[in-house]
Amino acid sequence: MRNTVKLTGAVAAAAALTLALGACSAPSDPDVDRSDSASSPLVVGATSVPHAEILEYVKKNLAPKEKLKLDVKIFDDYQLINPATKDNTLDANYFQTKEFLDDWNKKNDGDVVPVANVHVEPMGLYSKKHESLSDLGSGDTIGVPSDAPNQARALKLLDKEGVIKLKADAPAVPGLNDIGDKKGLKISESKAETLAPTLPDFDAAVINGNYAIAGKLSPKKDSLALESAKNSPYANFLAVDKSKKNDERVQKLAKLLNSDQVKKFIETKYKDGSVLPSFSKVG
């Protein structure tokens, strides 16, 4: 990822639009009424892989039959997406887990809510220098995401695999100060999306599934350790500001994202297990 940018209100909306312009088609005309009219586009913010890929499949193959117009905005920095959703620059988004959203809502007085779970991306530990967990030794540096929810998820994976030991009284969302035993390792924070491109700079790094895909890493073949997808609390979902939860276009998109066609698309396109269907309505 890029340098951390903390934005709120109108500043976040403006930055989000600027970024979206650089990454995809131009935004909808601000003078066009984007209320829940079936004839107006539903503007959805997403990270590129796999979220935007899944949305583009729906846009091209399923949405026309439902008379749903989708405008997919791709963001390189996911930290900008919820602010743009809160400010109604975006109608909806698709990129995050519940733990991440809860943390963001709490810190930013937000009211963004999940609508439908779509998929799980198992987080994994990767290395260009070692071939197994047992190769990790004292003095090695392990990269972990810097944002609290993803860092907690990474530390839980490292603890489960015996790479580190969390304190017995560690909170539900542990941070670096909650590590009881680093076992001689150095734990280094970086923005989540930078970990795959800079993997050679670390002895190993815990990388989110979507960024592993973008970095040409295969969870099945390349990971030293991988989260289990079974009963995972880390499903990625379609989300909206609470005021738009009953928007007819949002409900149509939620139904399409949970369709048999999307299930088949995910299972076919991501054969290495990097993305797994996890369908359910939320709330």
Side-chain angles (χ1 to χ4, degrees):
M1 292 185 189
R2 313 298 181 263
N3 292 331
T4 301
V5 180
K6 187 173 182 180
L7 301 174
T8 58
V11 177
L17 270 179
T18 300
L19 183 56
L21 273 166
C24 55
S25 59
S28 303
D29 188 334
D31 294 329
V32 174
D33 180 11
R34 292 198 285 107
S35 61
D36 57 348
S37 166
S39 63
S40 58
L42 184 72
V43 183
V44 186
T47 43
S48 59
V49 182
H51 309 83
E53 292 177 340
I54 295 171
L55 286 169
E56 289 293 350
Y57 169 80
V58 171
K59 177 180 178 178
K60 180 179 179 180
N61 298 280
L62 306 178
K65 297 178 183 178
E66 296 293 329
K67 297 182 178 179
L68 174 65
K69 296 179 182 179
L70 290 179
D71 186 359
V72 181
K73 301 298 184 188
I74 301 174
F75 287 74
D76 293 326
D77 188 342
Y78 64 75
Q79 299 285 5
L80 298 174
I81 303 179
N82 277 326
T85 305
K86 178 182 178 181
D87 288 348
N88 292 312
T89 304
L90 297 172
D91 294 313
N93 69 53
Y94 172 34
F95 77 100
Q96 64 193 320
T97 64
K98 186 64 163 56
E99 192 172 48
F100 181 89
L101 177 59
D102 287 346
D103 181 72
W104 185 87
N105 276 331
K106 182 179 179 180
K107 291 178 178 177
N108 297 277
D109 192 28
D111 206 6
V112 178
V113 296
V115 179
N117 288 330
V118 183
H119 76 272
V120 171
E121 303 162 21
M123 182 177 267
L125 177 66
Y126 298 86
S127 176
K128 293 291 187 181
K129 299 178 182 180
H130 300 305
E131 295 183 357
S132 68
L133 286 177
S134 61
D135 292 335
L136 290 171
S138 180
D140 281 349
T141 299
I142 297 180
V144 297
S146 56
D147 65 276
N150 280 312
Q151 184 172 112
R153 188 175 171 185
L155 295 179
K156 288 177 182 178
L157 175 63
L158 294 175
D159 177 73
K160 180 177 179 296
E161 297 295 334
V163 178
I164 63 169
K165 184 68 176 177
L166 290 173
K167 296 176 182 177
D169 60 350
V173 183
L176 298 186
N177 291 333
D178 299 304
I179 301 175
D181 185 359
K182 295 182 181 179
K183 301 188 176 180
L185 298 168
K186 299 175 183 178
I187 310 299
S188 177
E189 298 177 291
S190 291
K191 293 191 72 178
E193 71 270 34
T194 68
L195 288 168
T198 61
L199 180 57
D201 296 337
F202 301 95
D203 294 288
V206 185
I207 302 174
N208 296 70
N210 58 319
Y211 295 123
I213 301 167
K216 308 300 182 183
L217 295 168
S218 168
K220 280 186 177 180
K221 297 177 182 179
D222 299 324
S223 64
L224 305 185
L226 193 66
E227 285 178 339
S228 171
K230 187 176 181 181
N231 299 320
S232 173
Y234 302 116
N236 285 223
F237 47 75
L238 178 69
V240 298
D241 185 81
K242 191 174 182 179
S243 63
K244 293 191 175 182
K245 190 170 184 179
N246 294 322
D247 186 318
E248 179 184 357
R249 300 165 302 163
V250 170
Q251 294 303 318
K252 282 184 178 180
L253 179 56
K255 180 180 178 181
L256 293 176
L257 285 171
N258 278 188
S259 67
D260 290 339
Q261 294 97 318
V262 168
K263 182 176 184 292
K264 184 177 180 181
F265 172 77
I266 291 174
E267 292 174 339
T268 301
K269 185 170 181 63
Y270 309 106
K271 293 180 180 180
D272 62 357
S274 56
V275 182
L276 303 171
S278 181
F279 296 167
S280 68
K281 280 291 191 74
V282 181

